Amino acid sequence: MASLDRDRLTQLIDRERATYREQNPISAAAFEAAKGSLFGGVPMTWMVKWSGGFPLYLQGAHGNRITDVDGHTYVDFALGDTGAMAGHSPAATIAAVNQRISELGGITTMLPSEDAAWVGDELSRRFGLPLWSFSLTATDANRWALRLARLATGKSKVLAFSYCYHGSVDETVVVYGPDGVTQARPGNVGPATDPANTTRVAEFNDLASVERALAHGDVAVVITEPALTNIGIVLPEPGFLEGLRQLCTQHGALLLIDETHTFSAGPGGMTADLGLQPDIFVIGKSIAGGIPIGTYGITQAVADRINAHPDADLVDVGGVGGTLAGNAMSMSAARATLGEVLTDTAFKQMIALATRFTEGVQNVLDGFDVPWTISQLGARAEYRFARPAPRNGSESAEAGDDDLDEYMHLYTLNRGVLMTPFHNMALMCPATSEADVDLHTEVFTKAINELFG
Ligand SMILES: Cc1ncc(COP(=O)(O)O)c(C=O)c1O
C-alpha cells in the first residue's frame, strides 16, 4: 500500500501555491482590494474556503466552464456546490427568467404566479409528496419544516445525524458525543442555545443509535439526507433507510428527507430511486438553475395535522415565511429548469459521466495502491482519504485531511479543473463532456504520481 510522505506533500503544496499566485495576479489584487469593505474580503465568508490563500474572481460562466478575471477558463466540477447542477446560465432558464422579469415584468410581488402550481405538480410527480411551499434557500425550507414538524407532533426535539449538514439550521449543527450525548459541532458560531436542548443525535448507518435516541419519546422529526454528502459521501447501507422509516413510524416521529444534494441520484432523487416514504421532503439550490429557491413538500397527513392548529400563524409573522419567497422570478426559473434542463435524459448522461469519472479515479487509486476511496451518487462522485469508505459522519470526519485537500484542489485548479472547495466533490451537469472527465483523470493521475509515485 502506498504511504504518504508528509515532507513531500508540504513541498508540493508550496510549489502549487506559488504557481497559483503567479498565475492569478488579478484575482489576488481584487481580493486584497476588497478587504477594505467586505468582511473577510469576500461577499460571503465561505468564499475564502478556496485553496491558495485567495479565491479566483469570476469573469463569466456558461455551461460547465468558468472564466476568471485573469483570463483562465476552467472545467467546472464544483458547479456552485450543486447550485449550478443545471450548468451555468442554462439557456431555457435564462429565457424564462427574461420573459418573466423583463417582458411580463414582476420579480417579486407577494402574488402567486401560474408557474408555481406547475412546479408543485412537477415536484409531486418526481418526489411523490402532494403539497409544496417555497423559500429562497434550502436552509429556510428546513428551518420552516422543523417548526411545522414540532407543531404537527407536539414534540420538541429534532434527531439529526453526526456531522450532517442541512444549511445553517441551529438544531442540526451537532456531533455524536461520548455515550451518544448531543454536542455542538466544533466551530459552531454563536448558538442561541446548547443544541443538546433541541436535538438528539445518532450515527448514520446505525439504527441502534437511532432507536436509543427515539426511545426518549420527545423527537418530533428525524432530519437526514438519504446519503450524507457534506462530510464526503457516506452511502446508506442496505436496510438502513427502510429501518429509519420504520423506527420513525414506531416512535411517532416524522421523517424529513433533505435531497438538496442527493438529487444528483436521478430526476426523482434517492426518494424515487429507493421508494423512500418521507413525511416531509426538502430540496433547493439546483432546481431553479441557480436562481435562489428552496422548497419543502408535505404529505396530506402532515398537512392535516398542521391544519388542526388554527391558532398557528402560518400567514404572517409565525416564523415560517419570507417576503421574497415564492417570487415570480424563482418560479419561472424552476419551471424552465425542471421542465427543460434537468430532465430524465440529462440525468442519464450526467450519471454515465460520473461513472466514467469514478472509474477513472478508481483505476488510478488501484494502480498506485493508494488507500483512498471514491463514492458515486448518481451524477456526483467524491474521493475520500480513507479505505474502506467511512460508514458514518464521525468516521468520515476523521478521514479529513486539510493538507491533502489543499494539494488536490490546487493541483487540479492550476491545470484547468475546478473541484468543489468543500472536500473533493465532482458534479456533472448537462454540459459536461467525456473529454472534460478525461481531463480530470489525466490531471488526477499526475497529482497522484507526484505524491505517491
Ligand atoms: C443537504 C443540504 N441541505 C440544505 C443545504 C442548505 O442549502 P442553502 O445553502 O441553499 O440554504 C445544503 C447546503 O449545502 C445541503 O447540502
PDB file of all heavy atoms in Angstrom, residues 73 93 96 210 244 279 288 340 351 370 405 421:
ATOM      1  N   THR A  73      -9.749  29.734 -18.343  1.00  0.00           N
ATOM      2  CA  THR A  73     -11.049  29.053 -18.380  1.00  0.00           C
ATOM      3  C   THR A  73     -10.885  27.666 -17.767  1.00  0.00           C
ATOM      4  O   THR A  73      -9.917  26.955 -18.060  1.00  0.00           O
ATOM      5  CB  THR A  73     -11.568  28.967 -19.822  1.00  0.00           C
ATOM      6  OG1 THR A  73     -11.803  30.299 -20.275  1.00  0.00           O
ATOM      7  CG2 THR A  73     -12.884  28.205 -19.906  1.00  0.00           C
ATOM      8  N   THR A  93     -33.544  28.411 -18.810  1.00  0.00           N
ATOM      9  CA  THR A  93     -33.815  29.142 -17.570  1.00  0.00           C
ATOM     10  C   THR A  93     -33.687  30.643 -17.809  1.00  0.00           C
ATOM     11  O   THR A  93     -34.546  31.437 -17.365  1.00  0.00           O
ATOM     12  CB  THR A  93     -32.836  28.679 -16.460  1.00  0.00           C
ATOM     13  OG1 THR A  93     -32.867  27.254 -16.409  1.00  0.00           O
ATOM     14  CG2 THR A  93     -33.190  29.268 -15.110  1.00  0.00           C
ATOM     15  N   ALA A  96     -36.695  31.924 -19.736  1.00  0.00           N
ATOM     16  CA  ALA A  96     -37.916  32.020 -18.915  1.00  0.00           C
ATOM     17  C   ALA A  96     -37.822  33.180 -17.935  1.00  0.00           C
ATOM     18  O   ALA A  96     -38.799  33.923 -17.729  1.00  0.00           O
ATOM     19  CB  ALA A  96     -38.123  30.704 -18.164  1.00  0.00           C
ATOM     20  N   VAL A 210     -30.150   5.265  16.506  1.00  0.00           N
ATOM     21  CA  VAL A 210     -31.403   5.982  16.226  1.00  0.00           C
ATOM     22  C   VAL A 210     -32.463   5.544  17.237  1.00  0.00           C
ATOM     23  O   VAL A 210     -33.177   6.370  17.824  1.00  0.00           O
ATOM     24  CB  VAL A 210     -31.897   5.676  14.787  1.00  0.00           C
ATOM     25  CG1 VAL A 210     -33.262   6.303  14.539  1.00  0.00           C
ATOM     26  CG2 VAL A 210     -30.882   6.161  13.752  1.00  0.00           C
ATOM     27  N   LEU A 244     -34.975   3.160   9.213  1.00  0.00           N
ATOM     28  CA  LEU A 244     -35.202   4.511   9.739  1.00  0.00           C
ATOM     29  C   LEU A 244     -36.682   4.872   9.618  1.00  0.00           C
ATOM     30  O   LEU A 244     -37.288   5.406  10.555  1.00  0.00           O
ATOM     31  CB  LEU A 244     -34.347   5.486   8.923  1.00  0.00           C
ATOM     32  CG  LEU A 244     -34.221   6.896   9.436  1.00  0.00           C
ATOM     33  CD1 LEU A 244     -33.579   6.915  10.816  1.00  0.00           C
ATOM     34  CD2 LEU A 244     -33.367   7.722   8.459  1.00  0.00           C
ATOM     35  N   ASP A 279     -42.194  11.956   5.292  1.00  0.00           N
ATOM     36  CA  ASP A 279     -43.371  12.761   5.634  1.00  0.00           C
ATOM     37  C   ASP A 279     -43.163  14.193   5.150  1.00  0.00           C
ATOM     38  O   ASP A 279     -44.115  14.903   4.860  1.00  0.00           O
ATOM     39  CB  ASP A 279     -43.565  12.778   7.156  1.00  0.00           C
ATOM     40  CG  ASP A 279     -43.763  11.379   7.709  1.00  0.00           C
ATOM     41  OD1 ASP A 279     -44.786  10.770   7.379  1.00  0.00           O
ATOM     42  OD2 ASP A 279     -42.868  10.886   8.431  1.00  0.00           O
ATOM     43  N   ALA A 288     -33.817  25.625  -9.618  1.00  0.00           N
ATOM     44  CA  ALA A 288     -34.179  26.820 -10.398  1.00  0.00           C
ATOM     45  C   ALA A 288     -32.964  27.297 -11.200  1.00  0.00           C
ATOM     46  O   ALA A 288     -32.867  28.477 -11.561  1.00  0.00           O
ATOM     47  CB  ALA A 288     -34.714  27.925  -9.490  1.00  0.00           C
ATOM     48  N   GLU A 340     -37.077  21.691 -18.700  1.00  0.00           N
ATOM     49  CA  GLU A 340     -36.281  21.635 -19.928  1.00  0.00           C
ATOM     50  C   GLU A 340     -34.794  21.335 -19.728  1.00  0.00           C
ATOM     51  O   GLU A 340     -34.089  21.076 -20.696  1.00  0.00           O
ATOM     52  CB  GLU A 340     -36.401  22.991 -20.657  1.00  0.00           C
ATOM     53  CG  GLU A 340     -37.828  23.322 -21.079  1.00  0.00           C
ATOM     54  CD  GLU A 340     -37.940  24.730 -21.650  1.00  0.00           C
ATOM     55  OE1 GLU A 340     -37.255  25.013 -22.640  1.00  0.00           O
ATOM     56  OE2 GLU A 340     -38.698  25.539 -21.071  1.00  0.00           O
ATOM     57  N   ILE A 351     -25.175  10.934 -15.220  1.00  0.00           N
ATOM     58  CA  ILE A 351     -24.816   9.785 -14.374  1.00  0.00           C
ATOM     59  C   ILE A 351     -23.753   8.927 -15.075  1.00  0.00           C
ATOM     60  O   ILE A 351     -22.797   8.458 -14.446  1.00  0.00           O
ATOM     61  CB  ILE A 351     -26.081   8.984 -14.001  1.00  0.00           C
ATOM     62  CG1 ILE A 351     -26.952   9.827 -13.047  1.00  0.00           C
ATOM     63  CG2 ILE A 351     -25.728   7.641 -13.362  1.00  0.00           C
ATOM     64  CD1 ILE A 351     -28.337   9.289 -12.782  1.00  0.00           C
ATOM     65  N   VAL A 370      -3.295   3.369  -3.606  1.00  0.00           N
ATOM     66  CA  VAL A 370      -3.489   4.487  -2.676  1.00  0.00           C
ATOM     67  C   VAL A 370      -4.679   4.160  -1.762  1.00  0.00           C
ATOM     68  O   VAL A 370      -5.738   3.774  -2.259  1.00  0.00           O
ATOM     69  CB  VAL A 370      -3.792   5.792  -3.457  1.00  0.00           C
ATOM     70  CG1 VAL A 370      -4.054   6.941  -2.499  1.00  0.00           C
ATOM     71  CG2 VAL A 370      -2.641   6.127  -4.391  1.00  0.00           C
ATOM     72  N   ASP A 405      -6.384  17.944   0.966  1.00  0.00           N
ATOM     73  CA  ASP A 405      -7.414  18.743   0.282  1.00  0.00           C
ATOM     74  C   ASP A 405      -6.770  19.884  -0.502  1.00  0.00           C
ATOM     75  O   ASP A 405      -7.056  20.095  -1.675  1.00  0.00           O
ATOM     76  CB  ASP A 405      -8.378  19.374   1.302  1.00  0.00           C
ATOM     77  CG  ASP A 405      -9.588  18.496   1.578  1.00  0.00           C
ATOM     78  OD1 ASP A 405      -9.836  17.560   0.808  1.00  0.00           O
ATOM     79  OD2 ASP A 405     -10.284  18.766   2.578  1.00  0.00           O
ATOM     80  N   PRO A 421     -14.736  23.390  -3.358  1.00  0.00           N
ATOM     81  CA  PRO A 421     -13.819  23.693  -2.261  1.00  0.00           C
ATOM     82  C   PRO A 421     -14.142  22.925  -0.986  1.00  0.00           C
ATOM     83  O   PRO A 421     -13.309  22.784  -0.106  1.00  0.00           O
ATOM     84  CB  PRO A 421     -14.028  25.192  -2.029  1.00  0.00           C
ATOM     85  CG  PRO A 421     -15.356  25.503  -2.605  1.00  0.00           C
ATOM     86  CD  PRO A 421     -15.576  24.529  -3.720  1.00  0.00           C
TER      87      PRO A 421
END
